[in-house]
């Protein structure tokens, strides 16, 4: 089934939707003809470049003189994180598949003001082909 993609992939947790999303492995994408699923105009693998997440968070004034923690839940695979332009952690610390991380950002957060959080997420170090996980009747 070929479908037109508008920059949003189907929920990978439902059925076999994950086979309608390009993989980090170009070898697997070629094998499964997933280049047509890329939202990039040239059909390039969308996971080759880092992804950025940025948001502004209003920290309540009541947080003055309290410890403030940044929780990163489910990062995949490496990341760098900044609060207000100051690096909190880099990709040598934040590494692993869907791991959770917690950093004390008390000294970086401005209570009673907007604070900027930026996270740069990079792909896995060694993308490879997916394993056959469905047994002998697998279509892989």
């Amino acid at each position: 089934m070929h479908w037109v993609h508008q920059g949003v992939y189907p929920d990978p947790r439902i059925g076999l939707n994950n086979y309608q999303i390009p993989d980090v492995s170009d070898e697997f994408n070629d094998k499964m003809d997933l280049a047509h699923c890329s939202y990039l105009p040239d059909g390039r693998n969308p996971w080759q470049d880092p992804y950025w997440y940025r948001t502004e968070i209003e920290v309540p004034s009541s947080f003055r003189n309290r410890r403030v923690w940044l929780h990163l839940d489910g990062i995949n695979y490496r990341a760098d994180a900044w609060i207000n332009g100051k690096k909190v952690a880099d990709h040598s610390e934040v590494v692993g598949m869907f791991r959770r991380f917690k950093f004390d950002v008390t000294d970086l957060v401005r209570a009673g003001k907007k604070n900027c959080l930026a996270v740069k997420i990079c792909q896995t170090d060694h993308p490879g082909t997916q394993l056959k996980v469905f047994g002998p009747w697998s279509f892989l």
Side-chain angles (χ1 to χ4, degrees):
M1 172 169 132
H2 292 271
W3 44 275
V4 177
H5 177 299
Q6 299 297 321
V8 177
Y9 291 116
D11 187 337
R13 298 168 294 181
I14 298 174
L16 296 176
N17 281 351
N18 58 321
Y19 290 106
Q20 297 178 14
I21 302 170
D23 191 76
V24 70
S25 166
D26 286 327
E27 182 181 346
F28 183 78
N29 290 338
D30 289 344
K31 180 179 176 182
M32 300 302 289
D33 188 31
L34 291 174
H36 72 277
C37 296
S38 173
Y39 63 86
L40 298 173
D42 60 1
R44 182 169 62 86
N45 186 334
W47 310 118
Q48 294 300 313
D49 300 321
Y51 274 71
W52 283 88
Y53 171 81
R54 184 189 179 282
T55 192
E56 291 182 354
I57 304 161
E58 181 97 24
V59 175
S61 297
S62 62
F63 277 48
R64 278 190 182 86
N65 301 320
R66 294 177 67 187
R67 303 270 342 116
V68 180
W69 298 87
L70 171 63
H71 290 255
L72 300 174
D73 295 335
I75 295 288
N76 186 25
Y77 184 78
R78 288 186 181 271
D80 300 306
W82 293 263
I83 296 277
N84 297 323
K86 304 287 185 189
K87 191 173 268 190
V88 174
D90 70 23
H91 58 274
S92 67
E93 299 169 85
V94 181
V95 60
M97 182 179 271
F98 301 111
R99 289 189 50 209
R100 294 178 180 174
F101 301 91
K102 183 169 96 171
F103 300 99
D104 185 344
V105 294
T106 304
D107 295 336
L108 303 176
V109 170
R110 299 181 307 241
K113 297 183 179 181
K114 282 189 180 178
N115 292 265
C116 177
L117 167 65
V119 180
K120 176 183 173 186
I121 301 171
C122 301
Q123 68 159 287
T124 183
D125 295 340
H126 305 285
T129 57
Q130 294 183 3
L131 301 174
K132 290 185 179 184
V133 294
F134 297 111
W137 47 270
S138 172
F139 59 89
L140 295 178

